[in-house]
Amino acid sequence: MADDFAPFDPPDWLDREDDLLAPYAMRARRSRGRRRPEADHAFRTPFQRDRDRIVHCTAFRRLMHKTQVLVTQTNDHHRTRLTHTLEMTQISRTVARRLGLNEDLTEAIALSHDLGHPPFGHAGETALNECMRGHGGFEHNLHALRIVEVLEYPYPEFPGLNLTWEVREAMAQHSRRRDAPEVAEFQESGRPLLEAQVADAADSLAYDAHDVDDALGAGLITPDDLTDVPFWRAALERVRQRFGELRPEQFRPTMVRTLISSQVVDLLEHTRRRLQAERIRSVEDVRRHGEVLVGPSPEMLALKTGLEEFLRARVYLHARVQRMTVKGARIVRLLFEEFCRAPQLLPERYASRTARQGVERTVCDYLAGMTDRFAQEEYLRLFHPYHAV
Ligand code: MG
């Protein structure tokens, strides 16, 4: 807390940002601030404090046991939503720093980008949205906003994490539900900040690469299956040119590294060219610009699309992944129905909220917060005749 430290006058981060950042970067001193105003911290910018609040919140730690693509039990080293978040955050920081953007803001946005995901990946989200039809629906970006504004409450001075407007805006801008009342206050600002655009690009960059890695690791596909994918083939040629034939222990990580680094280099070059060509010289220019400015070149986009089509057909729709998907969705649906039918089964902390916000939203909050394994356990506790309650 700010009052634990003797205040510097002025805080030392103010000038540091001016020394380091490009003119189109968001500066902490220009932040629209927090819902509940707080005194400046002596040596952390508001965005650094946001980053720390996110890392210390419960929803962040739960990402450890939430499905990215493969369900938790598949093996012990595939990505979970937490490790995906860490990988894409590091890529986001590299790109932000190289472009002269606000690395702290980018980091906070990146670390928070998957906070609102329910258990069992997108299957869980679809199931929860169907359960909530007629009760406001469910979408992970809106739920992330709800987590940081309402559901987490670690601070005595205010509800939620009291994050800056800019970090919350990035969550709201991501939402496909532009009609939702929670999004209204973020509608007028124009295009997302470049820092948010970087996190977005890094998200897709990271999962395209690591989903291939995990699918190979879990034996869902083999390297031979990938030879018709142009992006893989291009990376393979580069790896062979440079290293010749590699042993399996090095082959896969080297291929994945190549998939990542070629995308990062392309993203940096293409984005820098666009910022120059479009004469982007301020945050206002970014806000006013007709299109997103951070992104891959058309050539790289085509390569990524080819790889994503392959992943959809051969990995996301793979029978072993689908078994998890269908089962996860069923667990979510059955838990939802049972808690709505008998809200007295909810833990006290949630049961006390039903009068204020309705049974359905309360059950949805409880379910969305669950990790995969907690949802599976809860299912057994409720439905298995001999399982402890
Ligand atoms: Mg993500």
Side-chain angles (χ1 to χ4, degrees):
M1 295 278 100
D3 47 8
D4 294 338
F5 300 97
F8 292 30
D9 190 25
D12 65 357
W13 43 263
L14 280 171
D15 297 330
R16 218 179 121 69
E17 284 197 343
D18 283 334
D19 294 343
L20 290 174
L21 300 184
Y24 43 67
M26 179 67 195
R27 279 151 173 73
R29 58 153 55 106
R30 292 195 55 198
S31 169
R32 297 198 198 183
R34 310 178 186 281
R35 268 197 211 293
R36 307 275 173 115
E38 295 177 47
D40 282 335
H41 191 276
F43 46 81
R44 285 183 302 160
T45 75
F47 301 138
Q48 289 171 340
R49 293 174 88 185
D50 284 358
R51 170 201 64 200
D52 297 344
R53 287 175 189 193
I54 292 159
V55 169
H56 288 274
C57 81
T58 310
F60 185 77
R61 286 191 298 278
R62 286 181 179 161
L63 295 175
M64 177 161 48
H65 297 293
K66 290 198 181 200
T67 291
Q68 178 67 21
V69 169
L70 298 175
V71 74
T72 324
Q73 297 100 323
T74 309
N75 58 44
D76 279 346
H77 44 260
H78 65 71
R79 274 71 177 181
T80 65
R81 228 164 248 294
L82 180 66
T83 62
H84 157 71
T85 296
L86 296 176
E87 288 185 30
M88 71 69 86
T89 297
Q90 295 314 103
I91 294 168
S92 300
R93 291 180 56 193
T94 301
V95 173
R97 186 184 292 206
R98 188 78 186 143
L99 292 173
L101 295 173
N102 194 316
E103 188 177 337
D104 304 321
L105 174 58
T106 309
E107 186 179 17
I109 291 172
L111 287 169
S112 69
H113 91 284
D114 269 355
L115 277 186
H117 272 287
F120 310 117
H122 289 285
E125 178 167 25
T126 307
L128 211 44
N129 189 34
E130 279 163 16
C131 293
M132 288 298 285
R133 192 173 292 156
H135 304 284
F138 177 84
E139 202 238 11
H140 77 91
N141 295 299
L142 292 183
H143 191 68
L145 261 183
R146 195 168 159 73
I147 288 172
V148 302
E149 304 228 72
V150 183
L151 297 176
E152 295 268 345
Y153 44 89
Y155 301 98
E157 304 98 319
F158 42 77
L161 306 182
N162 204 30
L163 300 179
T164 58
W165 191 91
E166 288 72 24
V167 174
R168 288 180 291 124
E169 185 212 4
M171 296 176 187
Q173 290 260 24
H174 243 175
S175 173
R176 265 161 273 131
R177 297 269 316 278
R178 308 301 294 186
D179 56 320
E182 308 91 294
V183 173
E185 70 171 299
F186 305 101
Q187 291 279 26
E188 314 285 274
S189 49
R191 288 278 148 203
L193 294 167
L194 291 177
E195 285 79 1
Q197 296 187 25
V198 164
D200 214 13
D203 187 23
S204 133
L205 190 162
Y207 64 62
D208 278 354
H210 67 47
D211 286 357
V212 174
D213 196 20
D214 285 345
L216 288 167
L220 300 175
I221 54 171
T222 66
D224 285 347
D225 296 330
L226 282 152
T227 44
D228 289 338
V229 178
F231 193 9
W232 178 267
R233 244 192 353 252
L236 187 61
E237 263 164 47
R238 288 181 52 186
V239 167
R240 284 209 175 122
Q241 258 171 23
R242 183 140 178 235
F243 301 105
E245 289 299 320
L246 287 170
R247 300 212 314 251
E249 306 91 287
Q250 281 109 36
F251 174 71
R252 206 172 88 211
T254 306
M255 285 296 291
V256 172
R257 232 170 14 248
T258 307
L259 293 178
I260 294 174
S261 63
S262 58
Q263 288 185 82
V264 170
V265 170
D266 172 87
L267 180 67
L268 281 170
E269 282 173 2
H270 186 67
T271 302
R272 204 195 302 259
R273 264 204 303 277
R274 292 208 61 195
L275 292 171
Q276 262 166 21
E278 305 290 339
R279 298 170 190 282
I280 303 298
R281 299 209 176 100
S282 65
V283 171
E284 286 66 37
D285 290 345
V286 175
R287 293 295 201 185
R288 273 196 301 263
H289 196 71
E291 290 156 21
V292 166
L293 288 153
V294 182
S297 66
E299 302 76 43
M300 180 54 76
L301 191 62
L303 291 178
K304 280 168 69 68
T305 306
L307 178 60
E308 284 164 10
E309 279 164 8
F310 172 88
L311 285 170
R312 192 166 307 117
R314 300 294 303 274
V315 177
Y316 309 146
L317 295 177
H318 191 287
R320 269 171 64 201
V321 175
Q322 283 295 304
R323 281 182 178 219
M324 177 294 277
T325 301
V326 171
K327 186 154 78 172
R330 186 187 306 126
I331 291 174
V332 167
R333 260 194 321 271
L334 289 173
L335 286 179
F336 185 87
E337 282 164 18
E338 184 64 0
F339 282 120
C340 286
R341 191 186 63 77
Q344 70 272 24
L345 301 176
L346 285 167
E348 169 55 28
R349 186 157 84 77
Y350 286 89
S352 61
R353 288 215 207 110
T354 54
R356 230 178 320 136
Q357 57 179 46
V359 174
E360 287 82 5
R361 181 56 64 190
T362 306
V363 171
C364 180
D365 285 343
Y366 182 44
L367 269 169
M370 292 180 187
T371 61
D372 294 11
R373 63 179 193 178
F374 186 88
Q376 286 163 326
E377 275 295 308
E378 194 72 336
Y379 176 86
L380 290 175
R381 282 191 286 265
L382 288 187
F383 295 110
H384 194 287
Y386 302 117
H387 200 282
V389 295

